Amino acid sequence: MRWDFIDEYEAWALKISLGLVLVFFVAVIGIAVLKGIDVPTCVTDFKPFDKGELVQIGPREYQLKLLGRMWAFQPNEVVVPVGSKVTIYTTSIDVQHGFEIEGKAVNLMTIPGAVNKAEVVFNRPGEYRFVCNEFCGIGHQSMYGVIKVLPEAEYEKWKQEHGM
Amino acid sequence: MKIERYLRNITFWHMMIGILSMATGVTYGLFQVLARAGIYDYGIFTYGTKLYYQGLTLHGVLNAIVFTTFFIVGFLYIVTEVSLKRKLNRGLVYLSFWTMVVGTLLAAWAIFTNRATVLYTFYPPLQAHPAFYIGATLLIVGSWIAILNTVITHLKWRKENPGKLTPPPMVAVHATYAVWFLATLGVAIEVLFFLIPWSMGWVKSINPELARTLFWWFGHPLVYFWLLPAYLAWYFLLPRIAGGKLYSEPMARVVFIMFILFSLPVGTHHQFSDPGISNTWKAVQAFLTFMVAVPSLLTAFNLAASLEYAGRVRGGNGLFGWIKTLPWRDYRFAGMVGPMIVFIFGGISGIVNASYNVNQVVHNTSWIPGHFHMTVGTASAMTFLTLSYILMEKLFGKRPWSKKLATLHAYLWVVGVLIFAWGMMQLGRAGIPRRTHLGLSPYMNLEEKILMGIAAVGGVLMFTSFLIYFINFLVTVFKKPDVSEAEIEKVDLEFTDAYHKENENLPRYLDNFTIWLAIAVFLLIVTYGPIFYDVFRSTYAVPNAFSPFNPLNLIK
Ligand code: HEM
Ligand SMILES: [Cu+2]
Ligand SMILES: [Cu+2]
C-alpha cells in the first residue's frame, strides 16, 4: 500500500496512536489472564431459577443464587465468614436489573431468561453494599442489599444465634 | 452558491425543533441534578418519583435522539448543497422532515402521558405503549429518507464530475450517514420484529438479552453519528475561523473512513457485564474499540497542528506562544475549541470504559453519565449550538444578537460540565449507580451526598449557560437581518483551505465508498455472528411484560 499521500509527521502520528492503543490492550488483557480479573462469560450449564438463596458447597465456599425482582434482591442480606469464596449466579424473574458490589470488581447484569455468573473472594471483614444499577421501575432507587463478611469467631456466634 | 429559500427554511425548522427539544431536555437535566442531590423533589409536580424517571426518559430521548437527529440532518443538507454545489431533491426533503416530525410527536405523546417511562434504551421486559416504538421507527425512517436523498445527489454529482475527488466535507457527510444507516438496522430489527409485536400483544414472549444485543449494535455507532458532524465542523470550519488552514486533508479523509470501518463492530463494549456472550468475543470487540480510538487520536493531532498553524499566522511564536494569539474571544472559536478541550477528558474517560475488565468498576455507575456529558453532551451538543449561530448568519444574514453572551455561554458550559462530570465520576468510583433517583436512595452516605451536591453545582451552571444561549438565540431569530437580501442569497459556509491539500497522488480507493461500506458490513458480520450464536444458545425468551409502576406481570 502506498502511504505517500500523508506526510512524515502524519505517518508518525498514526504509528504512535496505533502503538498506544496496542499497549493499552495488551495491558488490559494481560491483567485479565494473569490476575484472573475477567468479565462474565456465556453460562450454559445453569438454568434460570425463581428462588434466591445462599448455599454452602464446601469449606469457605458458597454458591449465591441471587434473584432480582421489583424492587428487592433475594436474598438482600448475605452473611459469610472472612476468606470465603462465593460463586454468584444471578437472574431476574421480571425486568432487567443490575448487581454491583461496592469495592469489588463484580458488576453483573441481572436479566430474565439468562444466567450471569461471577466469582468473588472476601478476604477482609466488613459490610459490602450491593446495589441495583439498572433502571427497573419506580422503586429502583431503593433496591440494595449487603454482604456481611464476619471474622471467624463472630461468624460462629451468628450461626448459633440463627440456629444454623 | 444560491440555496433556495425552501431549504433554508426547512433547515431552520430542523434546527429549531432540535433546540426546543433540547431546551425541554436540559430543564429535566436541572431537575435531575437537584433531585439526586436531595435538594428538590419535584415538589410542584404531583407525580413524585414517577416524574424522575419520566423526566429522565425525556432527557435522554429529547437531548440525545431528537435534538441530535434533527440538527444533524438539517446541517448536513446545507453541507451537501454547498460542498457539491448541487440541489437536493425537494420532495424527499419534505417527506423526510414530516416523517421525522410525526414519529417524534407519537413518541413524545407516549412519554409525556407517562405511557413510556422506559428510558431512552427501552429495555424489555419494561414495556412502553406501541406509539413509542412506532414513533421511534418513524424518526429513523425519516432520517433514512434524508440519507437516500444525499446519496442520490452525490451519485448525480459523480456523473457530472467524472474523475473529480469527493470534496472532503462531503466525505464526512457520507461517513456520518454510513455509520447511522448500518447502526439503525440493528435497532430497526429489534423494534419491528420483537418490540412492536410484543407491545401490541401479538406475541407473548421476548428475549431481553437478544434485545439488548440488537440495541447496542445500534447504541455505540449512535455516538459516532453524534460526533462526526462535530468533527466535520472542527475540521472544515474551525481552522478558518481560527485564522489558519486545516493541516492535512488526506489525513481527515483517512480518519472519516476509519470511522466507517470501526464504529460498528464494537457495540458489545456496552455489554461487558452481560450474560450470554462469551468473554472471547467481548475481548475482540474491546480490541476494535481501541482501534476506533485511533482516528480520534489522529484528529487530536491534525486539529492541534491546524490551530498551531493559525496561532503562528497570527504572530504567535515559541513552543506555546501560538496558543495565546488564538482568537479566544471569538464566540465561534470559543464555542468549538471549548467543547474540544472538554472532549479530551471525555475521550480519556471513554478509554476507561472501553478497557474490558476495568469496565467492571464503572459499568452503570454515575461515572458513565459523567463521561458522556463531556462527549455527546458537550463535544456534540455545544458544537451544534455554535453551528446554530453560524447557520443563522449564513442562511438568514442574522449575526448573534450578542456575541459577548455567545462567548460567555461557551465558557460557562465548559466550567459547569467539568464540575458536573468530576462529581459524577467520583460518585461512580464509589459505586453509586446511574439512572437512579438518589435523593430517595436509602444507601447514600454523607461523602456521597456531598459529591452529588458538587455535581449539582456543575449542573446548575450548565443550565444557566444554556439559558443564556437560548435567550440569545431566540432574539437572534426574531431580529432583522444584518445584511441585504442579495447578500443572504449567496450562502457559503466558508470551508477551510488546507495546508496539505489532496491531489492526484491520493489513491483512488480512498474515494470509493462502496469498498469501505463492504468492509464495514463484513466486519459487522464476522464480529456479531458468534455473538448472536452465543445469545441464542444460552438465553431464553420469557413471557414477561411490565409497567415501571407495578411489579405484576402484564402477561397472564
Ligand atoms: C443542563 C444540562 C444538563 C444537566 C444538568 C444534565 C444532567 C443529567 C444527569 C444528572 C443525568 C443522570 C441521571 C441519572 O443517571 O439518574 C443525565 C443523564 C443523561 N443526559 Fe444529561 N444533563 C444535561 C444536558 C445534557 C445534554 C446536552 C445531553 C445530550 C445532548 C444529555 C444527555 C443525557 C443522556 C443521554 C443521559 C442518560 C439518560 C439515561 O440514563 O437514560 N444531557 N443528565
Ligand atoms: Cu433497579
Ligand atoms: Cu460505546
Side-chain angles (χ1 to χ4, degrees):
Chain A
M1 215 185 267
R2 270 175 43 228
W3 281 99
D4 53 356
F5 61 91
I6 55 176
D7 77 3
E8 196 187 342
Y9 292 107
E10 293 161 5
W12 271 109
L14 185 64
K15 284 176 204 158
I16 291 173
S17 307
L18 277 171
L20 198 65
V21 300
L22 281 180
V23 168
F24 282 178
F25 185 72
V26 169
V28 163
I29 297 299
I31 285 173
V33 174
L34 296 177
K35 291 233 165 185
I37 305 174
D38 210 335
V39 303
T41 190
C42 186
V43 175
T44 49
D45 58 354
F46 207 93
K47 292 277 168 274
F49 44 91
D50 58 8
K51 189 169 174 296
E53 59 189 345
L54 181 74
V55 188
Q56 182 155 19
I57 50 174
R60 302 201 173 203
E61 264 193 58
Y62 294 84
Q63 183 185 77
L64 173 60
K65 281 163 66 180
L66 187 94
L67 188 70
R69 56 190 310 173
M70 295 157 101
W71 293 287
F73 286 109
Q74 186 190 55
N76 68 4
E77 191 184 285
V78 175
V79 182
V80 292
V82 71
S84 298
K85 179 175 143 193
V86 183
T87 306
I88 302 163
Y89 290 92
T90 179
T91 187
S92 157
I93 51 163
D94 41 48
V95 298
Q96 304 192 11
H97 302 275
F99 169 73
E100 171 199 343
I101 307 178
E102 180 187 15
K104 289 276 171 194
V106 175
N107 201 327
L108 300 170
M109 294 309 299
T110 293
I111 302 218
V115 176
N116 213 346
K117 178 187 174 187
E119 273 177 14
V120 53
V121 180
F122 292 98
N123 282 326
R124 266 191 231 129
E127 296 205 350
Y128 295 79
R129 172 178 65 178
F130 60 87
V131 300
C132 174
N133 66 12
E134 185 53 85
F135 173 64
C136 54
I138 203 72
H140 162 61
Q141 66 281 340
S142 42
M143 187 166 163
Y144 81 116
V146 61
I147 297 174
K148 291 186 176 154
V149 179
L150 301 180
E152 196 59 41
E154 266 180 60
Y155 180 72
E156 290 305 322
K157 218 173 98 201
W158 179 88
K159 247 166 84 172
Q160 264 157 20
E161 277 167 15
H162 289 76
M164 291 171 80
Chain B
M1 129 137 202
K2 188 168 177 300
I3 291 191
E4 289 156 287
R5 189 90 216 170
Y6 95 89
L7 191 70
R8 285 186 268 150
N9 286 340
I10 200 102
T11 301
F12 171 77
W13 283 110
H14 278 90
M15 214 158 70
M16 204 59 207
I17 291 176
I19 290 164
L20 290 176
S21 301
M22 183 173 172
T24 317
V26 297
T27 307
Y28 285 104
L30 177 69
F31 291 158
Q32 275 150 225
V33 281
L34 297 180
R36 284 169 65 100
I39 298 169
Y40 169 71
D41 195 19
Y42 300 107
I44 56 167
F45 299 96
T46 49
Y47 289 111
T49 46
K50 273 185 201 174
L51 199 78
Y52 183 85
Y53 298 108
Q54 184 186 17
L56 188 55
T57 309
L58 282 164
H59 183 78
V61 171
L62 291 177
N63 281 331
I65 310 287
V66 178
F67 162 60
T68 51
T69 309
F70 272 91
F71 195 94
I72 290 170
V73 168
F75 173 52
L76 295 192
Y77 279 148
I78 300 299
V79 174
T80 304
E81 284 217 349
V82 171
S83 66
L84 293 183
K85 302 196 174 47
R86 206 183 186 296
K87 300 247 171 293
L88 289 152
N89 180 311
R90 182 170 175 165
L92 286 180
V93 169
Y94 280 118
L95 186 64
S96 156
F97 178 73
W98 286 109
T99 313
M100 283 171 36
V101 169
V102 171
T104 303
L105 288 176
L106 274 178
W109 169 81
I111 308 174
F112 274 111
T113 57
N114 226 338
R115 288 178 169 88
T117 297
V118 292
L119 306 191
Y120 85 111
T121 46
F122 48 85
Y123 294 141
L126 279 178
Q127 195 177 59
H129 191 281
F132 175 79
Y133 304 117
I134 295 170
T137 310
L138 288 179
L139 179 63
I140 288 173
V141 170
S143 69
W144 285 353
I145 298 171
I147 298 181
L148 182 73
N149 201 349
T150 310
V151 171
I152 292 175
T153 309
H154 186 226
L155 289 179
K156 287 193 175 146
W157 178 91
R158 274 256 145 106
K159 253 202 206 124
E160 291 158 9
N161 299 275
K164 260 204 195 167
L165 282 175
T166 307
M170 201 56 207
V171 176
V173 173
H174 280 313
T176 310
Y177 277 152
V179 167
W180 179 244
F181 180 70
L182 292 177
T184 45
L185 284 180
V187 74
I189 296 172
E190 181 195 3
V191 170
L192 292 179
F193 293 108
F194 298 100
L195 297 182
I196 292 181
W198 166 73
S199 72
M200 299 289 267
W202 300 333
V203 297
K204 296 235 175 300
S205 24
I206 186 102
N207 182 336
E209 183 54 35
L210 178 61
R212 283 176 70 81
T213 309
L214 287 167
F215 182 86
W216 286 113
W217 156 356
F218 158 75
H220 186 78
L222 169 65
V223 316
Y224 293 109
F225 172 67
W226 297 330
L227 193 60
L228 292 184
Y231 274 19
L232 195 167
W234 298 352
Y235 271 111
F236 303 116
L237 296 175
L238 177 64
R240 178 140 175 185
I241 291 168
K245 291 177 180 179
L246 173 63
Y247 179 67
S248 167
E249 254 176 20
M251 197 66 161
R253 180 183 290 261
V254 170
V255 161
F256 284 109
I257 288 176
M258 287 178 86
F259 277 117
I260 300 182
L261 296 186
F262 297 123
S263 291
L264 283 133
V266 295
T268 306
H269 68 221
H270 293 256
Q271 297 178 279
F272 286 146
S273 294
D274 277 31
I277 300 173
S278 91
N279 52 8
T280 314
W281 302 113
K282 288 177 179 173
V284 168
Q285 293 222 359
F287 175 72
L288 291 165
T289 305
F290 280 122
M291 288 304 292
V292 79
V294 171
S296 283
L297 290 168
L298 295 178
T299 298
F301 169 79
N302 206 347
L303 293 177
S306 308
L307 292 181
E308 178 178 346
Y309 180 82
R312 295 200 188 284
V313 168
R314 303 172 75 95
N317 38 37
L319 200 51
F320 295 111
W322 56 272
I323 298 179
K324 263 204 278 179
T325 52
L326 288 170
W328 293 99
R329 284 159 186 276
D330 182 328
Y331 66 99
R332 298 165 304 170
F333 184 85
M336 289 200 211
V337 174
M340 265 167 66
I341 293 169
V342 173
F343 188 59
I344 296 174
F345 299 102
I348 294 172
S349 53
I351 300 256
V352 174
N353 309 345
S355 295
Y356 191 67
N357 45 12
V358 184
N359 175 275
Q360 294 287 91
V361 181
V362 296
H363 175 74
N364 269 357
T365 68
S366 299
W367 167 284
I368 303 296
H371 151 74
F372 65 63
H373 282 83
M374 297 192 284
T375 58
V376 60
T378 299
S380 303
M382 287 305 111
T383 302
F384 294 171
L385 296 189
T386 306
L387 284 171
S388 76
Y389 286 131
I390 294 178
L391 288 174
M392 282 312 291
E393 178 173 349
K394 301 294 182 197
L395 301 178
F396 303 99
K398 296 178 183 183
R399 301 201 185 98
W401 172 57
S402 163
K403 292 181 180 171
K404 281 216 177 87
L405 284 182
T407 313
L408 176 69
H409 139 74
Y411 290 125
L412 188 58
W413 184 279
V414 169
V415 174
V417 76
L418 289 178
I419 296 173
F420 171 78
W422 184 85
M424 293 289 278
M425 288 165 76
Q426 294 304 318
L427 211 54
R429 286 182 51 203
I432 297 301
R434 67 184 282 201
R435 311 186 126 176
T436 305
H437 187 338
L438 296 177
L440 299 181
S441 287
Y443 49 72
M444 295 278 284
N445 65 33
L446 182 64
E447 193 191 329
E448 289 155 359
K449 285 183 181 158
I450 292 172
L451 282 173
M452 191 56 227
I454 294 173
V457 171
V460 170
L461 292 180
M462 287 155 77
F463 183 75
T464 313
S465 154
F466 181 83
L467 220 55
I468 294 173
Y469 159 81
F470 194 55
I471 294 168
N472 200 4
F473 183 76
L474 285 186
V475 179
T476 307
V477 167
F478 288 112
K479 77 176 207 177
K480 287 215 172 59
D482 294 301
V483 295
S484 70
E485 188 60 28
E487 201 72 23
I488 303 172
E489 295 269 285
K490 297 185 285 186
V491 177
D492 185 359
L493 285 180
E494 301 184 330
F495 292 123
T496 182
D497 203 358
Y499 182 74
H500 288 168
K501 276 191 91 60
E502 289 183 341
N503 54 27
E504 16 355 294
N505 240 345
L506 191 88
R508 282 289 137 166
Y509 57 77
L510 287 177
D511 202 39
N512 185 336
F513 298 100
T514 321
I515 299 182
W516 303 111
L517 267 177
I519 301 179
V521 171
F522 174 76
L523 279 175
L524 193 64
I525 294 173
V526 184
T527 50
Y528 264 103
I531 286 175
F532 280 108
Y533 172 72
D534 274 352
V535 169
F536 282 121
R537 77 192 167 106
S538 67
T539 69
Y540 311 82
V542 287
N544 288 15
F546 285 85
S547 142
F549 307 113
N550 191 333
L552 286 181
N553 201 339
L554 297 170
I555 291 175
K556 266 110 220 162

